[in-house]
Amino acid sequence: MNADAMKQAAAEAALSYVEIGDVVGVGTGSTANFFIDGLARIKNKIDGTVASSEASAQRLRAHGIAVLDLNQVGELPLYVDGADEATRHLHLIKGGGGALTREKIVAQVSARFVCIADRSKLVARLGAFPLPLEVIPMAQSLVGRRLAALGALPQLRAGFTTDNGNLIVDARNFDIDNPVEMERRLNQIPGVVTVGLFALRGADVLLLGGADGVEELRG
Ligand code: 5RP
């Protein structure tokens, strides 16, 4: 079974969390795309979606699925999205696709966050995957210095602008011993819009696609 088949299996399993009349928060990335494609089959069951990126909004609309403005919806029952790394504590690194800010907003307003991934994303400790931070352009060097002072190797994601018009700085070599504390700390750096650590509000359910089926972890 290849990684795509495992992602698809996790995405298909997440469809069982969708209930009649839901407005569903939808994430970004290749695993979320499998979820979107599956959601298309049950689109008549839901009242619409809120997308965490322009790319996902476009894919949803191409399937004839309504994409709503979060400001007109308020709280959501369900958010389904992928991750770059996940622990058994359901702490995540997200933002490999650069959509972390909208992802964090949608996660925050959702009663249940179901994270979908292939099994390779499960780690004992976060940080092998470079931690993405969305940064206001004028603060790029300030944020870089602060990250370096914390022991990381910051690298600007070249040629990339977020849906919000900002930069992504990927922080390598981070020792993320305490994800909750690290998220709080990095949130304090002026110019950081969003840190790709999802620990203060992690996932509620983690669905991991593997060769022997989908494993479900709950917080
Ligand atoms: C996008 C994300 C994605 O969820 C994360 O990068 C995982 O992507 P994929 O499902 O393609 O492996 O956080 O900003």
Side-chain angles (χ1 to χ4, degrees), residues 184-207:
R184 281 209 183 97
R185 197 163 179 182
L186 297 176
N187 277 340
Q188 302 302 317
I189 303 174
V192 169
V193 178
T194 304
V195 180
L197 266 177
F198 285 57
L200 290 163
R201 199 282 183 255
D204 301 302
V205 178
L206 177 59
L207 297 173

Side-chain angles (χ1 to χ4, degrees), residues 7 28-32 81-84 94-100 103 118 121:
K7 289 178 182 189
T28 300
S30 56
T31 318
D81 196 1
D84 300 299
K94 291 185 47 52
L100 60 162
E103 290 171 344
D118 66 274
K121 304 287 183 70

Side-chain angles (χ1 to χ4, degrees), residues 141-208:
S141 69
L142 164 65
V143 172
R145 290 196 301 279
R146 294 288 191 272
L147 291 172
L150 291 169
L153 287 175
Q155 188 170 35
L156 179 68
R157 200 177 292 182
F160 188 89
T161 304
T162 69
D163 284 349
N164 314 305
N166 296 313
L167 305 173
I168 296 287
V169 172
D170 292 301
R172 290 162 203 279
N173 276 12
F174 240 141
D175 184 20
I176 305 176
D177 179 35
N178 183 336
V180 170
E181 177 52 29
M182 182 64 87
E183 184 178 353
R184 281 209 183 97
R185 197 163 179 182
L186 297 176
N187 277 340
Q188 302 302 317
I189 303 174
V192 169
V193 178
T194 304
V195 180
L197 266 177
F198 285 57
L200 290 163
R201 199 282 183 255
D204 301 302
V205 178
L206 177 59
L207 297 173
L208 290 170

Side-chain angles (χ1 to χ4, degrees), residues 82-138:
D84 300 299
E85 284 185 345
T87 69
R88 289 197 176 272
H89 301 291
L90 308 196
H91 296 151
L92 313 171
I93 285 184
K94 291 185 47 52
L100 60 162
T101 296
R102 296 188 189 193
E103 290 171 344
K104 203 169 260 196
I105 292 168
V106 181
Q108 191 64 46
V109 298
S110 296
R112 181 182 268 167
F113 176 7
V114 176
C115 181
I116 51 177
D118 66 274
R119 209 170 188 291
S120 72
K121 304 287 183 70
L122 185 66
V123 296
R125 191 183 176 105
L126 298 174
F129 189 91
L131 178 67
L133 295 95
E134 180 162 351
V135 174
I136 301 269
M138 77 170 284

